[in-house]
Amino acid sequence: MKNIILVRSAARALFGSGGPNYSRHFSTAAIVKHVEPRYQHGGSFYWRKMSSLPQTKDQDSEEDKKKEELNNNKNNNNAVISSYWGITRPKIQREDGTEWPWNCFMPWDSYPADVSIDVTKHHVPKSFADKFAFRSVKFLRVLSDLYFKERYGCHAMMLETIAGVPGMVGGMLLHLKSLRKFQHTGGWIKALLEEAENERMHLMTMVELVKPNWHERLLVITAQGVFFNAFFVFYLLSPKTAHRFVGYLEEEAVISYTQHLNAIESGKVENVPAPAIAIDYWRLPKDATLKDVITVIRADEAHHRDVNHFASDIHHQGKELKEAPAPIGYH
């Protein structure tokens, strides 16, 4: 009898005319009221049996949701993240109307190099600090020549991994000094960071031309780790000597790129087409060659040479860099 009453209550709950909310409420109340004691205490099977149809639907919907999430995750993993909270970068075009292909630099970061600069200039070492910096660079030059010999591309690549460090270290330490002392730096932070970024673009260009192998990559990691920490301490102890050291390092870079150009002109190195990144960065003609790239890189190194010798001269006068205007915008 009780079972018949229970079935009727369930039927009313499912097919009654009280509306969906009333039916749900009534069915629950009716079932709880008429459930026998054995089902009240151990009724997990009973509840599963009575509600198998809606639970199956819920399970199916949950499985569908999980499948959709997995598909969305797969699509998201394959998709390129192109915006930050819905803020997308506007489309940028070259002067000829074609789309700008680079994310590593923008058109306003590109420039025509000033190749009229004197590449033969040399700062004669006078003080003990100058001589120490000069001889240290010459010693490093001997080591690099012994290892690379006439592999000009590999030599240039290694040189740029080192040359990009001093500007970043100097700019970082000046930035921290400005924060500590609540004072401006005369634009020198930006000037030194521009130098570091320019050297990095030299490296990105050389990597396109020279595909480094595993032991050259290992050498780069080791040299950069040692040089960064050494130069960091060096700059803390004596900024004037550190800048003089970089000035002489850039002089050697000018010499290295001059030898590279001579090798191209003599036919020892093939004058291959310029990489696309170099054409856009230095605004070179579309038919530019390796010779054009090396020429503009050498001009950049000559500018870095003069900037660092100038910074060292400021310190030699007993002044701080902020007391002299920084040479910003020469590249």
Side-chain angles (χ1 to χ4, degrees):
M1 188 65 184
K2 290 182 179 180
N3 291 335
I4 295 174
I5 295 173
L6 183 60
V7 171
R8 287 179 179 176
S9 301
R12 289 175 184 173
L14 293 174
F15 304 105
S17 58
N21 295 332
Y22 171 78
S23 299
R24 277 198 298 270
H25 174 74
F26 178 78
S27 64
T28 305
I31 291 170
V32 172
K33 182 177 179 180
H34 296 95
V35 164
E36 295 183 12
R38 67 177 182 275
Y39 293 122
Q40 291 179 2
H41 297 288
S44 60
F45 172 76
Y46 179 80
W47 285 108
R48 286 198 299 271
K49 185 176 180 182
M50 290 300 295
S51 58
S52 60
L53 183 59
Q55 278 199 6
T56 301
K57 290 182 178 179
D58 293 341
Q59 289 174 358
D60 291 341
S61 62
E62 289 179 1
E63 290 179 359
D64 292 339
K65 288 180 181 179
K66 289 181 179 179
K67 289 181 181 179
E68 288 181 3
E69 289 179 359
L70 289 174
N71 291 330
N72 290 334
N73 290 335
K74 289 181 180 179
N75 293 332
N76 290 336
N77 290 335
N78 295 329
V80 176
I81 299 174
S82 60
S83 66
Y84 172 71
W85 284 3
I87 303 174
T88 57
R89 193 188 77 177
K91 289 186 178 180
I92 302 173
Q93 295 180 342
R94 295 190 183 98
E95 293 179 356
D96 59 2
T98 58
E99 186 176 355
W100 184 257
W102 311 106
N103 288 325
C104 54
F105 70 101
M106 294 292 104
W108 47 87
D109 298 322
S110 64
Y111 63 97
D114 179 14
V115 295
S116 64
I117 189 170
D118 184 5
V119 296
T120 62
K121 190 186 298 184
H122 169 63
H123 185 280
V124 179
K126 299 177 182 177
S127 65
F128 172 80
D130 290 354
K131 293 177 182 178
F132 171 79
F134 179 72
R135 290 172 183 172
S136 297
V137 171
K138 284 296 183 182
F139 173 73
L140 294 175
R141 175 60 188 261
V142 171
L143 294 179
S144 64
D145 285 346
L146 287 175
Y147 181 79
F148 292 105
K149 296 180 180 179
E150 292 187 351
R151 291 182 296 160
Y152 299 103
C154 295
H155 192 180
M157 183 190 65
M158 172 60 70
L159 176 66
E160 298 302 345
T161 63
I162 298 299
V165 172
M168 180 60 66
V169 171
M172 175 184 67
L173 291 176
L174 284 179
H175 174 74
L176 296 176
K177 183 178 180 181
S178 175
L179 297 179
R180 289 195 310 270
K181 295 191 173 183
F182 314 109
Q183 59 184 211
H184 295 287
T185 59
W188 278 95
I189 295 175
K190 185 174 182 180
L192 294 177
L193 293 181
E194 278 185 355
E195 176 185 317
E197 173 65 10
N198 182 249
E199 297 286 7
R200 190 184 67 84
M201 291 303 297
H202 292 178
L203 175 63
M204 295 298 102
T205 300
M206 297 310 301
V207 168
E208 292 292 324
L209 295 166
V210 182
K211 305 299 182 182
N213 51 39
W214 69 268
H215 60 82
E216 288 172 340
R217 291 176 181 272
L218 181 62
L219 179 62
V220 166
I221 294 172
T222 305
Q224 188 183 86
V226 173
F227 183 73
F228 176 89
N229 290 284
F231 190 81
F232 180 85
V233 176
F234 191 13
Y235 200 96
L236 286 175
L237 296 176
S238 179
K240 67 179 179 181
T241 308
H243 280 293
R244 189 69 77 199
F245 174 87
V246 179
Y248 287 128
L249 189 67
E250 300 294 354
E251 287 187 13
E252 293 301 321
V254 171
I255 293 173
S256 295
Y257 283 117
T258 300
Q259 293 174 349
H260 199 165
L261 283 172
N262 293 337
I264 293 172
E265 292 174 353
S266 64
K268 290 182 179 180
V269 176
E270 184 182 359
N271 191 22
V272 297
I277 191 172
I279 292 175
D280 282 333
Y281 184 68
W282 283 285
R283 300 178 188 173
L284 298 173
K286 292 183 179 180
D287 58 346
T289 61
L290 176 61
K291 181 179 178 181
D292 300 316
V293 174
I294 300 302
T295 300
V296 294
I297 292 178
R298 184 179 65 169
D300 287 345
E301 304 293 5
H303 283 290
H304 299 161
R305 171 202 65 194
D306 293 347
V307 168
N308 281 278
H309 281 316
F310 174 51
S312 183
D313 290 341
I314 295 170
H315 284 295
H316 271 85
Q317 296 173 13
K319 299 179 180 180
E320 294 187 9
L321 292 181
K322 65 176 183 176
E323 299 180 52
I328 299 174
Y330 60 91
H331 55 42

